[in-house]
Amino acid sequence: MEKLEYIVPCHFGLEAVLKREINNLGYEVVAVEDGRIVFAGDKEALCRANIFLRSAERVLIKIGSFHAETFEELFQGTKALAWEAYIPRDGKFWVAKAASVKSRLFSPSDIQSIMKKAMVERMKSVYHVDWFTESGEAFPVRVFIKKDEVTVGLDTTGESLHKRGYRKLTAKAPIAENLAAGLLMLTPWKGNRILVDPFCGSGTIPIEAAMMAAHMAPGRNRTFQAEGWKHIVAGRLWEGVREEADSLADLSVETNIQGYDIDDEMVSIARANAKLAGVDHLIHFQTRSVEQLSHAKKYGFILTNPPYGERLEDKKTLMPLYRTLGERFQALDAWSMYLITAYEQAESAIGRKADKNRKIYNGMMKTYFYQYIGPKPTGNGR
């Protein structure tokens, strides 16, 4: 089958997780860059990447790359790409996003405008028309320029992959689904181990954990931009991959996943979201403060996204909150704790330096993933 190259963006700091996911799907990783992985695969890979990848943001077909220091070079480089191989005569096409880092060309709106004109000129010469109706399927383009190297991709995903379709209601500062999944995959947690999120909010971390435990593909219940591109990806490929995803799901698994929040309304929202995801029977949600965090069993995991104190008035409460979290963690027997936060005094408040500390960007916000690694289970310990 025809091989294509795919560009898969992710949160900065999760590149190793995404690379492992792509390798596990059986595809060859071509390049690992800051915030993205490039891999090679057939057209079925487009469907499988969109439906199965948990930590990815979207999947782009790589159209090409070239060097450009001037807008003329950008125009000519864009015009030289074989757009007609992907976009039909009636296709709707535009540059949906342009990003530039350490490059001479830096204005997103100018980059978008010039590339659109170049695409039009290319396809006018191929299709022998002077005007495009753009009444057909949508073909959003994304471009990234780094050190004057332009990389162009066609967005097969549409709405970001973090939108699984289950989170209809959210907390004030929800963690993205793909970030929650990526954090889980940075830990040794497995579906048969205890997991507690004491600041669960709208339930994203417990829900992603339950989906992983039940081998539920994150994209199995949503649609994608490229499903309308019949000339590129046949409908039978999407059907086959969805059947594969359905066959792998096992909702009969036994789990010990718990989500707590001090806010009754948040707990109700978390339960509703878990029901929409089809995993409500795999998670125990409860209204409970962090002061009440306790568990009788050994070798459990805390994985959480506690408050950061975005507002000045909230910062006063952070030190005692994190101190309490540290005390409750210390009282647990042989547990591990993983938390993502932008609160710079987290380790001091918890009362212990993390065994590992990983910098991860949550959108534009720099956060730290503090890892307190407990002992491995012995005997039949879970």
Side-chain angles (χ1 to χ4, degrees), residues 57-58 140 142 155-161 222 224-226:
E57 289 185 0
R58 59 186 64 250
R142 291 184 169 237
D155 181 12
T156 74
T157 301
E159 271 202 310
S160 172
L161 288 175
R222 56 158 286 176
F224 303 95
Q225 188 73 58

Side-chain angles (χ1 to χ4, degrees), residues 246-297:
D246 288 341
S247 70
L248 291 172
D250 179 10
L251 291 169
S252 67
V253 295
E254 290 187 15
T255 59
N256 192 338
I257 300 170
Q258 298 165 41
Y260 305 143
D261 201 279
I262 197 169
D263 187 335
D264 273 329
E265 186 181 357
M266 278 294 102
V267 172
S268 296
I269 286 171
R271 287 189 180 124
N273 288 338
K275 188 170 184 178
L276 282 170
V279 294
D280 49 313
H281 65 295
L282 299 177
I283 309 169
H284 174 67
F285 288 110
Q286 187 177 347
T287 304
R288 185 188 284 197
S289 69
V290 68
E291 286 88 354
Q292 296 171 294
L293 175 60
S294 64
H295 204 289
K297 292 186 177 179

Side-chain angles (χ1 to χ4, degrees), residues 24 83 92 158 168 202 224 232 258 261 272 366 370:
N24 288 343
W83 294 105
K92 180 183 179 182
K168 303 299 183 186
S202 51
F224 303 95
I232 296 177
Q258 298 165 41
D261 201 279
K366 182 170 68 174
Y370 296 106

Side-chain angles (χ1 to χ4, degrees), residues 80-106:
L81 299 174
W83 294 105
E84 67 278 4
Y86 305 95
I87 304 174
R89 186 191 298 259
D90 67 344
K92 180 183 179 182
F93 56 96
W94 73 104
V95 180
K97 185 173 182 180
S100 178
V101 176
K102 298 178 181 176
S103 300
R104 288 170 176 80
L105 303 177
F106 57 85

